[in-house]
Short mmCIF file of all heavy atoms in Angstrom, two decimals:
data_model
loop_
_atom_site.label_atom_id
_atom_site.label_comp_id
_atom_site.label_asym_id
_atom_site.label_seq_id
_atom_site.Cartn_x
_atom_site.Cartn_y
_atom_site.Cartn_z
N GLY A 556 0.80 -1.21 0.01
CA GLY A 556 -0.02 -0.05 0.04
C GLY A 556 0.85 1.25 0.02
O GLY A 556 0.58 2.19 -0.71
N GLN A 557 1.84 1.33 0.82
CA GLN A 557 2.76 2.46 0.85
C GLN A 557 3.44 2.67 -0.46
O GLN A 557 3.64 3.78 -0.97
CB GLN A 557 3.76 2.34 2.00
CG GLN A 557 3.17 2.44 3.36
CD GLN A 557 4.19 2.37 4.46
OE1 GLN A 557 5.37 2.54 4.23
NE2 GLN A 557 3.69 2.17 5.69
N LYS A 558 3.87 1.51 -1.11
CA LYS A 558 4.60 1.64 -2.38
C LYS A 558 3.66 2.05 -3.46
O LYS A 558 4.09 2.74 -4.44
CB LYS A 558 5.33 0.34 -2.67
CG LYS A 558 6.55 0.14 -1.77
CD LYS A 558 7.25 -1.19 -2.04
CE LYS A 558 8.50 -1.31 -1.18
NZ LYS A 558 9.17 -2.61 -1.38
N CYS A 559 2.42 1.71 -3.39
CA CYS A 559 1.41 2.13 -4.37
C CYS A 559 1.19 3.65 -4.19
O CYS A 559 1.16 4.37 -5.22
CB CYS A 559 0.09 1.42 -4.14
SG CYS A 559 0.16 -0.23 -4.82
N CYS A 560 1.15 4.17 -2.93
CA CYS A 560 0.97 5.59 -2.74
C CYS A 560 2.20 6.36 -3.25
O CYS A 560 2.08 7.45 -3.81
CB CYS A 560 0.75 5.85 -1.30
SG CYS A 560 -0.89 5.40 -0.69
N THR A 561 3.36 5.73 -3.04
CA THR A 561 4.61 6.41 -3.55
C THR A 561 4.54 6.42 -5.07
O THR A 561 5.01 7.40 -5.68
CB THR A 561 5.80 5.62 -2.98
OG1 THR A 561 5.85 5.70 -1.58
CG2 THR A 561 7.12 6.25 -3.51
N PHE A 562 4.12 5.33 -5.65
CA PHE A 562 4.02 5.28 -7.12
C PHE A 562 3.14 6.39 -7.62
O PHE A 562 3.53 7.06 -8.59
CB PHE A 562 3.53 3.93 -7.60
CG PHE A 562 3.14 3.85 -9.07
CD1 PHE A 562 4.17 4.15 -10.00
CD2 PHE A 562 1.90 3.41 -9.52
CE1 PHE A 562 3.86 4.01 -11.35
CE2 PHE A 562 1.59 3.35 -10.80
CZ PHE A 562 2.54 3.70 -11.76
N GLN A 563 2.00 6.60 -6.96
CA GLN A 563 1.09 7.67 -7.35
C GLN A 563 1.83 9.01 -7.26
O GLN A 563 1.74 9.85 -8.19
CB GLN A 563 -0.15 7.75 -6.53
CG GLN A 563 -1.07 6.59 -6.73
CD GLN A 563 -2.29 6.70 -5.87
OE1 GLN A 563 -2.26 6.60 -4.61
NE2 GLN A 563 -3.46 6.98 -6.47
N HIS A 564 2.51 9.30 -6.20
CA HIS A 564 3.24 10.47 -5.96
C HIS A 564 4.31 10.68 -7.02
O HIS A 564 4.48 11.77 -7.62
CB HIS A 564 3.90 10.50 -4.55
CG HIS A 564 4.49 11.78 -4.18
ND1 HIS A 564 4.93 11.99 -2.83
CD2 HIS A 564 4.81 12.92 -4.86
CE1 HIS A 564 5.42 13.23 -2.76
NE2 HIS A 564 5.40 13.81 -3.97
N TRP A 565 5.06 9.64 -7.35
CA TRP A 565 6.08 9.64 -8.32
C TRP A 565 5.58 10.05 -9.69
O TRP A 565 6.09 10.89 -10.38
CB TRP A 565 6.79 8.26 -8.38
CG TRP A 565 7.89 8.13 -9.44
CD1 TRP A 565 9.18 8.47 -9.24
CD2 TRP A 565 7.78 7.72 -10.76
NE1 TRP A 565 9.95 8.26 -10.42
CE2 TRP A 565 9.04 7.76 -11.37
CE3 TRP A 565 6.69 7.23 -11.52
CZ2 TRP A 565 9.27 7.44 -12.69
CZ3 TRP A 565 6.89 6.83 -12.83
CH2 TRP A 565 8.16 6.95 -13.41
N VAL A 566 4.42 9.41 -10.12
CA VAL A 566 3.76 9.72 -11.44
C VAL A 566 3.33 11.19 -11.42
O VAL A 566 3.59 11.92 -12.36
CB VAL A 566 2.62 8.76 -11.77
CG1 VAL A 566 1.85 9.25 -12.93
CG2 VAL A 566 3.06 7.39 -12.04
N TYR A 567 2.69 11.57 -10.37
CA TYR A 567 2.20 12.92 -10.20
C TYR A 567 3.40 13.98 -10.40
O TYR A 567 3.27 14.92 -11.16
CB TYR A 567 1.61 13.17 -8.86
CG TYR A 567 1.07 14.62 -8.65
CD1 TYR A 567 -0.18 15.00 -9.01
CD2 TYR A 567 1.86 15.43 -7.92
CE1 TYR A 567 -0.61 16.26 -8.80
CE2 TYR A 567 1.45 16.73 -7.67
CZ TYR A 567 0.20 17.17 -8.12
OH TYR A 567 -0.27 18.40 -7.89
N GLU A 568 4.53 13.71 -9.76
CA GLU A 568 5.68 14.57 -9.85
C GLU A 568 6.31 14.53 -11.22
O GLU A 568 6.67 15.56 -11.78
CB GLU A 568 6.64 14.24 -8.81
CG GLU A 568 7.80 15.27 -8.62
CD GLU A 568 8.64 15.07 -7.40
OE1 GLU A 568 8.16 15.17 -6.29
OE2 GLU A 568 9.87 14.81 -7.59
N LYS A 569 6.48 13.34 -11.75
CA LYS A 569 7.09 13.19 -13.12
C LYS A 569 6.29 13.85 -14.22
O LYS A 569 6.82 14.22 -15.25
CB LYS A 569 7.26 11.72 -13.44
CG LYS A 569 8.35 10.96 -12.64
CD LYS A 569 9.73 11.55 -12.96
CE LYS A 569 10.78 10.78 -12.11
NZ LYS A 569 12.07 11.41 -12.24
N THR A 570 4.99 13.97 -14.06
CA THR A 570 4.11 14.54 -15.10
C THR A 570 3.77 16.03 -14.66
O THR A 570 2.80 16.57 -15.23
CB THR A 570 2.91 13.76 -15.28
OG1 THR A 570 2.10 13.71 -14.08
CG2 THR A 570 3.20 12.32 -15.83
N ASN A 571 4.46 16.62 -13.71
CA ASN A 571 4.21 17.98 -13.21
C ASN A 571 2.75 18.14 -12.79
O ASN A 571 2.19 19.22 -13.05
CB ASN A 571 4.61 18.95 -14.35
CG ASN A 571 6.09 18.95 -14.58
OD1 ASN A 571 6.85 18.92 -13.72
ND2 ASN A 571 6.41 18.86 -15.92
N GLY A 572 2.20 17.12 -12.19
CA GLY A 572 0.78 17.24 -11.66
C GLY A 572 -0.19 17.11 -12.76
O GLY A 572 -1.45 17.37 -12.51
N ASN A 573 0.13 16.67 -13.94
CA ASN A 573 -0.83 16.58 -15.02
C ASN A 573 -1.47 15.21 -15.16
O ASN A 573 -2.53 15.06 -15.81
CB ASN A 573 -0.13 16.86 -16.33
CG ASN A 573 0.19 18.26 -16.46
OD1 ASN A 573 -0.65 19.18 -16.56
ND2 ASN A 573 1.46 18.59 -16.46
N LEU A 574 -0.97 14.22 -14.48
CA LEU A 574 -1.52 12.86 -14.57
C LEU A 574 -1.33 12.06 -13.26
O LEU A 574 -0.36 12.30 -12.56
CB LEU A 574 -0.68 12.08 -15.66
CG LEU A 574 -1.23 10.69 -16.09
CD1 LEU A 574 -1.03 10.54 -17.60
CD2 LEU A 574 -0.45 9.60 -15.33
N LEU A 575 -2.34 11.26 -12.92
CA LEU A 575 -2.29 10.49 -11.73
C LEU A 575 -2.82 9.06 -12.04
O LEU A 575 -3.88 8.94 -12.57
CB LEU A 575 -3.13 11.13 -10.60
CG LEU A 575 -3.22 10.41 -9.34
CD1 LEU A 575 -1.87 10.45 -8.55
CD2 LEU A 575 -4.34 10.93 -8.45
N VAL A 576 -2.02 8.05 -11.66
CA VAL A 576 -2.53 6.69 -11.76
C VAL A 576 -3.25 6.45 -10.51
O VAL A 576 -2.80 6.67 -9.35
CB VAL A 576 -1.35 5.62 -11.91
CG1 VAL A 576 -1.89 4.24 -11.96
CG2 VAL A 576 -0.58 5.93 -13.22
N THR A 577 -4.52 5.96 -10.57
CA THR A 577 -5.30 5.83 -9.38
C THR A 577 -6.08 4.46 -9.45
O THR A 577 -5.90 3.72 -10.38
CB THR A 577 -6.28 6.98 -9.24
OG1 THR A 577 -6.99 6.93 -8.03
CG2 THR A 577 -7.25 7.13 -10.42
N ASP A 578 -6.89 4.21 -8.44
CA ASP A 578 -7.63 2.99 -8.34
C ASP A 578 -6.68 1.82 -8.36
O ASP A 578 -7.02 0.80 -8.97
CB ASP A 578 -8.71 2.88 -9.49
CG ASP A 578 -9.88 2.07 -9.04
OD1 ASP A 578 -10.10 1.83 -7.89
OD2 ASP A 578 -10.70 1.67 -9.93
N LEU A 579 -5.63 1.90 -7.60
CA LEU A 579 -4.65 0.80 -7.53
C LEU A 579 -5.16 -0.33 -6.68
O LEU A 579 -5.58 -0.11 -5.53
CB LEU A 579 -3.26 1.36 -6.97
CG LEU A 579 -2.65 2.40 -7.86
CD1 LEU A 579 -1.45 2.99 -7.13
CD2 LEU A 579 -2.31 1.93 -9.22
N GLN A 580 -5.22 -1.56 -7.25
CA GLN A 580 -5.79 -2.64 -6.57
C GLN A 580 -5.17 -3.95 -7.10
O GLN A 580 -4.74 -3.97 -8.27
CB GLN A 580 -7.28 -2.71 -6.74
CG GLN A 580 -7.72 -2.63 -8.14
CD GLN A 580 -9.23 -2.32 -8.31
OE1 GLN A 580 -10.01 -2.71 -7.46
NE2 GLN A 580 -9.59 -1.54 -9.33
N GLY A 581 -5.16 -4.96 -6.32
CA GLY A 581 -4.62 -6.22 -6.77
C GLY A 581 -4.28 -7.17 -5.68
O GLY A 581 -4.79 -7.04 -4.53
N VAL A 582 -3.37 -8.08 -5.89
CA VAL A 582 -2.94 -9.12 -4.95
C VAL A 582 -1.43 -8.82 -4.68
O VAL A 582 -0.61 -9.01 -5.66
CB VAL A 582 -3.18 -10.49 -5.48
CG1 VAL A 582 -2.62 -11.51 -4.47
CG2 VAL A 582 -4.66 -10.70 -5.75
N GLY A 583 -1.12 -8.46 -3.43
CA GLY A 583 0.32 -8.19 -3.25
C GLY A 583 0.74 -7.06 -4.04
O GLY A 583 0.18 -5.99 -4.16
N MET A 584 1.90 -7.23 -4.76
CA MET A 584 2.54 -6.24 -5.60
C MET A 584 2.00 -6.28 -7.05
O MET A 584 2.44 -5.52 -7.85
CB MET A 584 4.00 -6.37 -5.58
CG MET A 584 4.66 -6.12 -4.24
SD MET A 584 4.68 -4.32 -3.86
CE MET A 584 5.63 -4.35 -2.36
N LYS A 585 1.07 -7.18 -7.38
CA LYS A 585 0.54 -7.30 -8.74
C LYS A 585 -0.80 -6.51 -8.75
O LYS A 585 -1.74 -6.93 -8.04
CB LYS A 585 0.38 -8.77 -9.16
CG LYS A 585 1.70 -9.45 -9.42
CD LYS A 585 1.52 -10.68 -10.19
CE LYS A 585 2.92 -11.18 -10.55
NZ LYS A 585 2.83 -12.14 -11.69
N LEU A 586 -0.84 -5.55 -9.64
CA LEU A 586 -2.02 -4.66 -9.71
C LEU A 586 -2.72 -4.82 -11.01
O LEU A 586 -2.19 -5.07 -12.02
CB LEU A 586 -1.55 -3.19 -9.52
CG LEU A 586 -0.64 -2.91 -8.30
CD1 LEU A 586 -0.23 -1.45 -8.37
CD2 LEU A 586 -1.41 -3.22 -7.07
N THR A 587 -4.05 -4.61 -10.99
CA THR A 587 -4.91 -4.64 -12.22
C THR A 587 -6.08 -3.61 -12.05
O THR A 587 -6.34 -3.06 -10.98
CB THR A 587 -5.44 -6.03 -12.38
OG1 THR A 587 -6.17 -6.06 -13.60
CG2 THR A 587 -6.38 -6.43 -11.24
#
Protein backbone atom coordinates (compact mmCIF):
# COMPACT_ATOMS: atom_id res chain seq x y z
CA GLY A 1 0.00 0.00 0.00
CA GLN A 2 2.76 2.46 0.87
CA LYS A 3 4.63 1.64 -2.34
CA CYS A 4 1.43 2.16 -4.36
CA CYS A 5 0.97 5.59 -2.74
CA THR A 6 4.61 6.38 -3.54
CA PHE A 7 4.04 5.27 -7.14
CA GLN A 8 1.10 7.70 -7.37
CA HIS A 9 3.26 10.51 -5.96
CA TRP A 10 6.11 9.63 -8.34
CA VAL A 11 3.82 9.73 -11.42
CA TYR A 12 2.23 12.97 -10.22
CA GLU A 13 5.65 14.59 -9.83
CA LYS A 14 7.09 13.17 -13.10
CA THR A 15 4.14 14.58 -15.06
CA ASN A 16 4.21 17.95 -13.24
CA GLY A 17 0.81 17.24 -11.68
CA ASN A 18 -0.85 16.55 -15.03
CA LEU A 19 -1.48 12.82 -14.59
CA LEU A 20 -2.27 10.47 -11.71
CA VAL A 21 -2.51 6.68 -11.75
CA THR A 22 -5.33 5.81 -9.38
CA ASP A 23 -7.65 2.99 -8.34
CA LEU A 24 -4.64 0.80 -7.55
CA GLN A 25 -5.77 -2.67 -6.57
CA GLY A 26 -4.63 -6.24 -6.79
CA VAL A 27 -2.93 -9.07 -4.95
CA GLY A 28 0.29 -8.19 -3.19
CA MET A 29 2.50 -6.23 -5.59
CA LYS A 30 0.55 -7.30 -8.72
CA LEU A 31 -2.01 -4.66 -9.70
CA THR A 32 -4.90 -4.61 -12.17
